[in-house]
Amino acid sequence: MDVDADGRPDILSGCYSVSGHEVMVGLFHVLRGQEDGSFAAAEALTGTDGELLMVHHELTDRAQQLTENICTRPFAVDWDGDADLDLVVGNFKGTFFVFSGEGAGSFLPRPTALTSADGAVMRTAGAHSDPFVVDWDGDGDLDLLATSHTGEIQWAENQALDGADDADLGKAIPAQLAAFQTLIAPTPAAGPAGSTRIHVEDVNGDGKLDVLVGDTVTIDGTSTGQVWLYLQK
């Protein structure tokens, strides 16, 4: 994705935790694309206040908030429909936060917790939430897909455009997420079941979105990475 809107693709990454802070914190790093196709060294993203971008700058409830502050997994997307990239991020706890983008790779320093339409905090079935935002059901709004350490792939349908008329199309309408439901159940003996990462695109060109899931598995005593492909019927 082009994080800083300079016309060149960048690489965006989260991290487990970095040293040098009073609290454990997983930052967000960007490797900026160069004119020759290479990438600059990773740099930590900062907010519009000039401070390092992090979920919790101060932990008022360390037991509850610490695991939201580490193992960050960002996804850049125009979540609020204002034409600027935002960051939808997962974490160790399995919850999600949104950093609102201000354009050209700048973000507001304090994120908002991602909640469902009824106000409940969105949370995966397990730890290590990995978000992927895409119009999964093809109804014109952005849905939330996610994995966790359970190996389950979940889907939260955005119902913001349910009942909308043509005049609403193209407008910035706040997301109305339903509760997570299972999209692909875990298969510990034959599929992803642990440190999963997700990517969604039309792999076979049939016009339907498919799901790629990466995981670490142990084969004959050796840990290795594998990728599974789930084709949408």
Side-chain angles (χ1 to χ4, degrees):
M1 72 291 297
D2 183 5
V3 175
D4 51 12
D6 64 355
R8 296 188 292 267
D10 309 304
I11 297 174
L12 180 66
S13 176
C15 69
Y16 177 78
S17 182
V18 294
S19 59
H21 299 273
E22 294 182 0
V23 298
M24 293 182 68
V25 54
L27 300 179
F28 305 95
H29 293 87
V30 61
L31 289 74
R32 302 190 188 278
Q34 307 298 293
E35 290 185 1
D36 62 0
S38 63
F39 294 90
E43 60 179 273
L45 288 176
T46 57
T48 52
D49 60 355
E51 300 296 323
L52 290 169
L53 205 65
M54 62 183 75
V55 174
H56 296 292
H57 287 255
E58 297 180 359
L59 301 182
T60 56
D61 187 339
R62 184 176 295 268
Q64 291 295 319
Q65 295 176 333
L66 177 60
T67 51
E68 292 181 334
N69 225 31
I70 59 175
C71 296
T72 52
R73 296 184 175 184
F75 188 94
V77 65
D78 182 12
W79 178 250
D80 53 15
D82 65 355
D84 295 323
L85 283 180
D86 311 301
L87 296 182
V88 178
V89 306
N91 52 43
F92 185 97
K93 187 175 181 178
T95 55
F96 303 87
F97 287 83
V98 179
F99 288 92
S100 180
E102 296 294 287
S106 62
F107 301 93
L108 294 181
R110 299 297 187 269
T112 57
L114 195 58
T115 59
S116 64
D118 61 4
V121 172
M122 298 297 297
R123 185 173 183 177
T124 55
H128 296 287
S129 49
D130 186 38
F132 198 101
V133 179
V134 67
D135 183 6
W136 176 253
D137 53 5
D139 65 352
D141 52 29
L142 294 173
D143 308 304
L144 176 64
L145 275 69
T147 61
S148 68
H149 86 284
T150 65
E152 179 180 2
I153 294 90
Q154 296 180 286
W155 169 47
E157 180 186 3
N158 187 353
Q159 301 174 335
L161 292 181
D162 287 4
D165 55 32
D166 292 342
D168 294 320
L169 298 180
K171 293 182 179 179
I173 301 176
Q176 298 288 320
L177 293 176
F180 273 124
Q181 58 181 298
T182 299
L183 185 64
I184 302 172
T187 52
S195 303
T196 51
R197 294 294 181 96
I198 188 175
H199 183 82
V200 180
E201 66 175 279
D202 180 7
V203 175
N204 59 356
D206 65 353
K208 294 178 288 189
L209 292 175
D210 309 305
V211 179
L212 288 156
V213 184
D215 196 0
T216 299
V217 297
T218 300
I219 301 175
D220 297 330
T222 301
S223 181
T224 184
Q226 288 195 351
V227 177
W228 284 265
L229 170 61
Y230 296 92
L231 297 175
Q232 187 176 172
K233 297 179 179 179

